[in-house]
């Protein structure tokens, strides 16, 4: 029996921008080795596997090399696929059971809004290889649950960054977030995300990183609602709102491929 498979560009409304994720709809649980093989075959930053569980859906995410605990863009893509396919009625909220607890998704006009945990940062000393890997002078260094966060002096420094990924791969974290206040009109901050240690050299748009970026910039800018741009070559827009211990992540999505995965 073939399984439904889609590739969705997340945090964008234009094909071939944002962050592509593969979404595989399962009819029953599959073992992690099989899912990892599929994710390696897809060779995208994340492949999501979703299976119905009564009133909610079980959701797991894999990079080409490992299973991860939290992923924003693949969750956004999964919600988009479930609504678009009719598996969930359009307008109905979706609950996902994940390794990071229960996550939510709902429509908010043209946007999809995700309910994710906030991941506040704390000031930290830069570990060996971090600053040499970034190759830029930091304004501040902090650490969240999964990543190091490095603030640079301006948006141009973030956009022009040419990191040494072999050094960043030695940093003991899922990845490294580089960020600065935005000078592009309409945006509050920009960022990039590098995760070579997790099999993702540069992630186009990283929803889970914004669970740390949102409270970080909330404290600096004094506002709960912010609009962010991830300045990767593909680029993407993330709307964030800090709600206590949770963060609302808003984004759009567009399907670029629908097909079937042979159940092998």
């Amino acid at each position: 029996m073939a399984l439904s498979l889609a590739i969705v560009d997340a945090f964008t409304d234009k094909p071939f921008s944002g962050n592509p994720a593969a979404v595989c709809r399962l009819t029953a649980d599959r073992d992690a080795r099989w899912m990892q093989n599929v994710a390696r075959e897809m060779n995208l930053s994340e492949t999501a596997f979703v299976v119905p569980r009564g009133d909610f859906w079980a959701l797991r995410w894999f990079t080409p090399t490992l299973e991860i605990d939290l992923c924003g863009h693949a969750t956004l893509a999964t919600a988009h696929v479930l609504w678009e396919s009719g598996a969930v009625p359009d307008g109905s909220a979706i609950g996902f059971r994940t390794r990071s607890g229960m996550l939510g998704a709902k429509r908010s006009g043209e946007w999809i809004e995700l309910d994710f945990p906030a991941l506040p940062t704390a000031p930290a000393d830069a570990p060996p290889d971090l600053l040499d890997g970034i190759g830029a002078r930091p304004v501040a260094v902090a650490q969240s649950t999964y990543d190091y966060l490095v603030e640079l002096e301006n948006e141009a420094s973030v956009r022009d960054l040419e990191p040494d990924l072999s050094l960043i791969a030695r940093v003991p974290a899922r990845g490294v977030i580089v960020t600065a206040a935005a000078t592009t009109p309409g945006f509050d901050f920009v960022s990039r995300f590098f995760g070579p240690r997790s099999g993702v050299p540069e992630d186009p748009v990283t929803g889970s990183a914004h669970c740390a970026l949102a409270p970080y910039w909330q404290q600096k800018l004094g506002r709960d609602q912010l609009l962010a741009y991830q300045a990767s070559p593909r680029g993407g827009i993330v709307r964030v709102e800090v709600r206590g211990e949770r963060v609302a992540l808003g984004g759009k999505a567009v399907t670029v491929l629908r097909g079937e995965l042979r159940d092998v």
Side-chain angles (χ1 to χ4, degrees), residues 148-223:
Y148 278 94
L149 184 153
V150 179
E151 182 186 351
L152 301 184
E153 61 180 353
N154 54 45
E155 178 177 325
S157 299
V158 174
R159 288 181 177 272
D160 295 342
L161 202 66
E162 296 182 2
D164 185 332
L165 295 176
S166 66
L167 293 178
I168 291 179
R170 300 176 187 173
V171 174
R174 180 189 69 165
V176 174
I177 307 164
V178 183
T179 187
T183 53
T184 299
F187 294 102
D188 296 296
F189 64 88
V190 299
S191 69
R192 292 171 69 185
F193 182 90
F194 305 99
R197 189 183 182 95
S198 301
V200 184
E202 178 170 4
D203 198 31
V205 195
T206 316
S208 60
H210 286 77
C211 295
L213 286 160
Y216 182 85
W217 286 106
Q218 176 205 36
Q219 293 295 316
K220 294 183 75 73
L221 300 178
R223 288 185 287 113

Side-chain angles (χ1 to χ4, degrees), residues 14-94:
K14 299 176 181 178
F16 315 121
S17 60
N19 199 352
V23 179
C24 181
R25 287 176 52 200
L26 302 176
T27 55
D29 289 331
R30 299 298 299 259
D31 65 82
R33 181 177 180 181
W34 180 87
M35 288 187 280
Q36 187 65 74
N37 284 337
V38 173
R40 187 177 299 113
E41 190 79 5
M42 295 299 99
N43 199 32
L44 298 172
S45 57
E46 270 85 21
T47 297
F49 298 88
V50 63
V51 61
R53 286 282 190 276
D55 293 336
F56 61 88
W57 297 75
L59 178 63
R60 297 172 74 173
W61 313 278
F62 288 77
T63 78
T65 59
L66 52 83
E67 184 174 8
I68 59 171
D69 292 330
L70 188 65
C71 179
H73 86 279
T75 304
L76 188 83
T78 301
H80 173 78
V81 165
L82 293 178
W83 283 316
E84 189 176 59
S85 67
V88 174
D90 193 33
S92 296
I94 304 173

Side-chain angles (χ1 to χ4, degrees), residues 126-138 140-141 150 152 167-168 171:
D129 300 312
L130 174 58
L131 299 185
D132 286 342
I134 293 298
R137 180 178 298 177
V141 177
V150 179
L152 301 184
L167 293 178
I168 291 179
V171 174

Side-chain angles (χ1 to χ4, degrees), residues 88-163:
V88 174
D90 193 33
S92 296
I94 304 173
F96 294 112
R97 188 180 69 185
T98 75
R99 287 171 61 153
S100 291
M102 289 300 296
L103 308 176
K106 66 179 183 180
R107 294 282 195 188
S108 180
E110 295 182 351
W111 296 70
I112 297 171
E113 183 181 288
L114 304 178
D115 173 41
F116 267 45
L119 302 174
T121 60
D125 294 328
D129 300 312
L130 174 58
L131 299 185
D132 286 342
I134 293 298
R137 180 178 298 177
V139 171
V141 177
Q143 189 173 14
S144 72
T145 303
Y146 303 120
D147 309 309
Y148 278 94
L149 184 153
V150 179
E151 182 186 351
L152 301 184
E153 61 180 353
N154 54 45
E155 178 177 325
S157 299
V158 174
R159 288 181 177 272
D160 295 342
L161 202 66
E162 296 182 2

